[in-house]
Amino acid sequence: GKELFTSPYQYIAADANNTESISAIDLIEIRKLILGIYTEYPSNKSWRFVEKGFQMNNEHPWPFGENIALLDLVGNVTDNDFIGVKIGDVNNSVQANVNQVLPRNGRRVLTVEMDAPANVEAGDMVQVKLTIPEMVEGFQWTLETEGLAFESINSEVMKISDNHVGILHDGVMTMSWNAEDASSTGQVMYLNFIATASGNISGMIHMTSKVTEAEAYTLSGEILDVKLGHTSLTPEFALYQNSPNPWNELTTIGFDLPADDVVKFTIFEASGKVVKAIESEFKAGYNTITLRANELPASGVMYYRLESGEYSASKKMVLIK
């Protein structure tokens, strides 16, 4: 009841489970798609196409015409059009093709502060506190973890539960939440993990847009980019295992820098021959380099090395072509 729909197409978009009605179940279906639990709606299509000009009740558009029949066609027939409705897109913000994709660099950035122990040992119960510094009406993001097994989420001030979390594969977890009201006294949540490996927490959890785009939404409707800040942690130099590994199309290599610096990244064959070298400046904190198979002339066992100032580290990977 916060805001009324003004178009029958909004009702069609909101009917995610295709029951010709709108309920909280549709919200659950849409959230599962956002979290990556669904790759498609189980009872609906991604798009519905309504005959343009089809007469519909504004508050109950079902059933609606999705076909145009041309009988005894002779010559040219024009003005036979459809209105495309993206299921789940009640605010008509869908980017239907590449020409509609807008640059993201103009958005304000919201830093979600993470407070956690600096180092953990395998077997430890680890609590990660996330604090959103300003009131938002909703958020979504992907967390990529390494050496951490998700257990639960809780909050004393937010109505948030495991239903707002998607646990996927290879340490990837997604989150999507929206406020049921705007009277919350704060937005603080606690993620609980079991450490399956020892390490520095700053290198074990990263916020990305790998599955669910990292965004937050203010009460005024502003869309914010989101990044993770470390309240009590100073980033250390670290080079992480590429993912996926082995790989055959593309792979991503993550690394942490204690300060802004020039990085030299080198890939070697098992014989020691250099097959690719990259040198560029990166910011302090977590960064990534993405490799594509067609950039490398060889395959099989390879090694990659990262050098930055006084720091250097190497790891092994396997490319299958």
Side-chain angles (χ1 to χ4, degrees), residues 41-204:
Y41 293 115
S43 303
N44 209 340
K45 302 174 183 178
S46 293
W47 287 85
R48 303 294 291 270
F49 294 93
V50 185
E51 180 186 354
K52 185 177 181 180
F54 189 88
Q55 296 301 306
M56 295 180 287
N57 183 312
N58 268 4
E59 296 182 2
H60 197 282
W62 307 279
F64 50 85
E66 294 188 89
N67 299 283
I68 296 175
L70 302 176
L71 303 178
D72 301 322
L73 178 62
V74 177
N76 295 326
V77 179
T78 59
D79 299 323
N80 289 279
D81 300 322
F82 293 93
I83 302 294
V85 181
K86 174 68 173 174
I87 301 303
D89 178 36
V90 297
N91 66 348
N92 194 27
S93 63
V94 66
Q95 296 165 350
N97 58 63
V98 70
N99 293 326
Q100 295 178 324
V101 177
L102 300 176
R104 295 167 54 90
N105 53 11
R107 291 182 183 175
R108 187 161 60 90
V109 177
L110 179 73
T111 301
V112 177
E113 296 295 342
M114 182 177 83
D115 193 0
N119 297 286
V120 298
E121 299 293 332
D124 287 353
M125 172 68 77
V126 183
Q127 186 173 80
V128 176
K129 177 183 177 183
L130 298 182
T131 302
I132 301 176
E134 64 180 87
M135 296 299 294
V136 297
E137 194 165 35
F139 64 76
Q140 61 177 44
W141 53 61
T142 303
L143 295 178
E144 295 188 56
T145 68
E146 184 176 346
L148 296 172
F150 176 77
E151 288 288 308
S152 63
I153 185 172
N154 63 281
S155 174
E156 298 174 354
V157 293
M158 301 170 64
K159 291 183 178 179
I160 192 168
S161 68
D162 292 353
N163 292 328
H164 298 91
V165 177
I167 303 302
L168 305 183
H169 51 80
D170 299 327
V172 175
M173 60 181 289
T174 52
M175 296 184 66
S176 172
W177 174 87
N178 63 281
E180 296 183 12
D181 59 66
S183 60
S184 177
T185 56
Q187 294 183 328
V188 179
M189 70 202 84
Y190 298 89
L191 304 178
N192 303 297
F193 298 92
I194 295 291
T196 58
S198 302
N200 185 286
I201 199 72
S202 65
M204 300 171 77

Side-chain angles (χ1 to χ4, degrees), residues 245-267:
N245 186 47
W247 61 287
N248 61 5
E249 291 184 4
L250 60 84
T251 191
T252 300
I253 299 168
F255 59 94
D256 278 324
L257 295 179
D260 296 0
D261 205 348
V262 174
V263 164
K264 183 178 180 181
F265 179 77
T266 312
I267 301 174

